[in-house]
Amino acid sequence: MKGGNRLRILFVSTTVGALGSGLGGGVELTLRNIGLALKSRGHEITVLAPAESISSGLNIVQIPGELQPTAQTQGRDAPIVLPPNSVLGNLWQTAYQQQHNYDVLLNFAYDWLPFYLTPFFDRPIAHLVSMGSLTDAMDQIIGQTLEQFPASIGVHSKAQAETFPFGERCRVLGNGLDLSLYQFRAEADRALGWVGRIAPEKGIEDAIEAAQQTGLPLKIWGAMPDKDYWRSICERHPNAVFSYEGFLSTEQLQRSLGQCRGLLMTPKWVEAFGNVAIEALACGVPVIAYRRGGPAEIVQDGRTGWLVEPDSVSGLVDAIQKLDKIDRQICRLSAEQNYSMQAMGERVEGWLLGVVGSGG
């Protein structure tokens, strides 16, 4: 960038886990990719994140404190929660102290405090909302922020935006990947794949049941924050052929995922986007997803995978049996045409320049 268009941007991370731990889900990959994309466009990026955070290629300032509970585990009437020595509070205290070193702040935390604090900062704050409507308190504070700072709220998909009463006023930004990190595989092994945080809202049991009915093994990758939940899954499916392969780096994941016949996405909630879908496509792996949330906007039914009615295991089974009809080369082409990191960087840059220009 030239002249006044070069921004000094302070990222403030998700606070449910350290970057690199997998506990932050897709937000971790999104933060890294946006940071690298904006750096490549000449902007200066600093990231405030919980202690022990790592994110290759970015300047990380680690802030200690207790992690926040995840919003998806709470009911609609859940109260505002701030643990003692909260990392959320510590991050935003640091952000307040350092704000004048930056042109704009970008918040990645789906939590009440950053939105509430926005009017008290001298520098504009942009908020990238990572989930759909989950609690009344969050809906209220995001809507309140949008009223006062109309340019400040970004989301990942139309489906995510539609969960909010003010969704039509949010900026839909999509997502993107560094496609050079994902190798295309023209041939596949027998196994199916499933990637994500192993938690009830991700619906992994549906993928296990569908794989069992088709007689195909299922490989599972992702963070495991609740080992008791995983044990219960194993006990409920003693005869299914599935294996937990751990939480892997991008390099390791794309190598293993690329060998799969297809990726199953079985969320029980509205996914804001679904980074793993475009990671799979980038490797040439077709995606079978419930017609719910962001994945339904990514998968081209019959072309890059199959969309299945939500919560239909029989639908998953039917789709698995049609995987051979999908051209893996077209899957890769779809990722290149729609989800490059360069295109994402351009979209986010335009949004942030608008936030700076409007003062929020």
Side-chain angles (χ1 to χ4, degrees), residues 183-195 216-221 243 245 248 252-264 276 279-281 283-288 320 323-324 326 328 331:
Q183 298 175 347
F184 172 70
R185 290 255 327 203
E187 302 294 331
D189 297 335
R190 291 185 68 247
L192 300 168
W194 188 97
V195 183
L216 296 175
L218 178 69
K219 295 185 176 181
I220 297 165
W221 295 275
S243 58
E245 305 289 327
L248 304 183
Q252 295 170 317
L253 177 63
Q254 65 87 24
R255 188 183 305 122
S256 300
L257 178 59
Q259 300 173 11
C260 292
R261 289 187 63 191
L263 174 75
L264 304 183
V276 297
E279 289 189 282
L281 295 178
C283 298
V285 178
V287 179
I288 296 172
I320 291 169
L323 277 173
D324 290 343
I326 303 298
R328 292 171 70 94
C331 293

Side-chain angles (χ1 to χ4, degrees), residues 280-342:
L281 295 178
C283 298
V285 178
V287 179
I288 296 172
Y290 284 153
R291 196 185 299 270
R292 172 187 280 149
E297 297 178 20
I298 298 170
V299 178
Q300 300 171 47
D301 192 42
R303 189 168 185 268
T304 62
W306 301 98
L307 292 173
V308 174
E309 290 309 303
D311 309 319
S312 172
V313 173
S314 63
L316 294 174
V317 172
D318 291 343
I320 291 169
Q321 294 169 342
K322 297 188 293 184
L323 277 173
D324 290 343
K325 296 182 179 181
I326 303 298
D327 185 334
R328 292 171 70 94
Q329 184 67 58
I330 290 178
C331 293
R332 172 69 187 197
L333 182 62
S334 174
E336 292 174 350
Q337 291 176 335
N338 300 299
Y339 303 111
S340 72
M341 201 158 76
Q342 292 79 6

Side-chain angles (χ1 to χ4, degrees), residues 6-10 38-39 42-46 101-102:
R6 182 178 182 274
L7 297 175
R8 297 165 301 162
I9 309 169
L10 182 63
L38 291 174
K39 276 186 64 177
H43 303 292
E44 178 185 317
I45 310 297
T46 301
N101 297 325
Y102 302 94

Side-chain angles (χ1 to χ4, degrees), residues 30 74 123 169 263 305 307:
T30 295
Q74 305 171 39
R123 292 293 188 263
R169 290 183 286 151
L263 174 75
L307 292 173

Side-chain angles (χ1 to χ4, degrees), residues 194-218:
W194 188 97
V195 183
R197 186 180 60 256
I198 299 173
E201 68 273 7
K202 297 290 188 175
I204 192 173
E205 60 270 23
D206 288 8
I208 292 172
E209 290 175 13
Q212 183 175 9
Q213 289 185 35
T214 59
L216 296 175
L218 178 69

